[in-house]
Amino acid sequence: MLAVLATVACSGGERAPLSRSGFIGAELPTPLPKPDFTFTDSKGKPYPLVERTAGQVTLLFFGYTHCPDVCPVHLANIAAVLDKMPDEVQRSVTVVFVTTDPARDSLPVLDAWVKRFNPAFVGLTGSDSILAAAQATVKMAPAERDTLPDGSGGYAVGHSAAVIAYTRDGVGRVMYPFGTRQRDWAHDLPALVNYGQ
């Protein structure tokens, strides 16, 4: 289900209808627990995801720093909207970017890349097994390398284009596909922060 939803981009000039809980994003038919893994942050320190993001709205996104479009657009849009949000909302949202290309996304590369969008964004990496297990836990298709056809030996990484939003109770409730507009993030971020309050 997520794999299908992740490929659907928001389009058109009209705002999408709200979900049953009042979100523009696609509300998940079955809520997901936050993946309980310890990653490594971009400073080289252990990052137990559930513990470090407890009580926060967590926007979880799997991607890679060499991504030509999906990853930078998603993070730039979220950063632009968060920057205009009240302090209370900004303090209540943690954006977590997990690399699907640990071979190229060294800690310095990952750190510089996420921080250029917002200094508070968190960049994470881990072993191939942890990264694969984390993607499976959130029901996303595993990222796959695709060799570039130009003979350079380079590669792209096919990965899910979805951001999963976890409300403060640690439950993944809403999915945002590539193409989610800034105005939709601006509507949903306060709604995510206030969910269940």
Side-chain angles (χ1 to χ4, degrees), residues 69-83:
D69 42 32
V70 174
C71 300
V73 169
H74 255 322
L75 292 189
N77 282 337
I78 295 168
V81 172
L82 268 177
D83 189 52

Side-chain angles (χ1 to χ4, degrees), residues 2 5-6 10 16-34 57-61 74 78 138 140 160-177 180 184-185 187-193 195:
L2 276 183
L5 288 173
C10 298
L18 298 182
S19 73
R20 65 184 181 275
S21 296
F23 299 112
I24 292 174
E27 197 161 347
L28 300 177
T30 304
L32 295 170
K34 195 178 292 180
V57 167
T58 305
L59 303 181
L60 180 64
F61 183 44
H74 255 322
I78 295 168
V138 297
M140 288 185 175
S160 169
V163 174
I164 299 178
Y166 295 81
T167 45
R168 292 183 185 217
D169 56 3
V171 177
R173 300 185 184 280
V174 190
M175 191 279 302
Y176 297 89
T180 298
D184 298 338
W185 283 115
H187 176 277
D188 276 16
L189 286 176
L192 289 163
V193 169
Y195 181 86

Side-chain angles (χ1 to χ4, degrees), residues 8 17 25 34 40 53 61 63 88 90 92 107 146:
V8 179
K34 195 178 292 180
T40 300
T53 60
F61 183 44
E88 179 187 352
Q90 292 187 42
S92 301
L107 298 183
D146 297 314

Side-chain angles (χ1 to χ4, degrees), residues 31-188:
L32 295 170
K34 195 178 292 180
D36 191 6
F37 293 94
T38 296
F39 298 93
T40 300
D41 71 18
S42 58
K43 298 298 186 183
K45 297 180 179 178
Y47 194 96
L49 182 65
V50 169
E51 177 186 325
R52 292 291 297 275
T53 60
Q56 291 278 299
V57 167
T58 305
L59 303 181
L60 180 64
F61 183 44
F62 291 85
Y64 69 119
T65 67
H66 288 75
C67 182
D69 42 32
V70 174
C71 300
V73 169
H74 255 322
L75 292 189
N77 282 337
I78 295 168
V81 172
L82 268 177
D83 189 52
K84 297 172 185 171
M85 289 280 115
D87 288 346
E88 179 187 352
V89 173
Q90 292 187 42
R91 287 193 305 268
S92 301
V93 176
T94 300
V95 178
V96 176
F97 177 83
V98 182
T99 183
T100 56
D101 186 17
R104 288 187 296 190
D105 288 346
S106 64
L107 298 183
V109 167
L110 184 60
D111 190 62
W113 194 80
V114 296
K115 301 305 184 196
R116 77 180 168 105
F117 296 101
N118 185 307
F121 285 7
V122 177
L124 300 179
T125 189
S127 66
D128 289 340
S129 60
I130 285 177
L131 297 176
Q135 289 171 84
T137 297
V138 297
K139 304 191 184 308
M140 288 185 175
E144 295 184 355
R145 283 189 185 185
D146 297 314
T147 303
L148 297 177
D150 59 9
S152 66
Y155 62 89
V157 179
H159 62 90
S160 169
V163 174
I164 299 178
Y166 295 81
T167 45
R168 292 183 185 217
D169 56 3
V171 177
R173 300 185 184 280
V174 190
M175 191 279 302
Y176 297 89
F178 181 59
T180 298
R181 296 172 180 267
Q182 288 188 21
R183 69 183 185 188
D184 298 338
W185 283 115
H187 176 277
D188 276 16

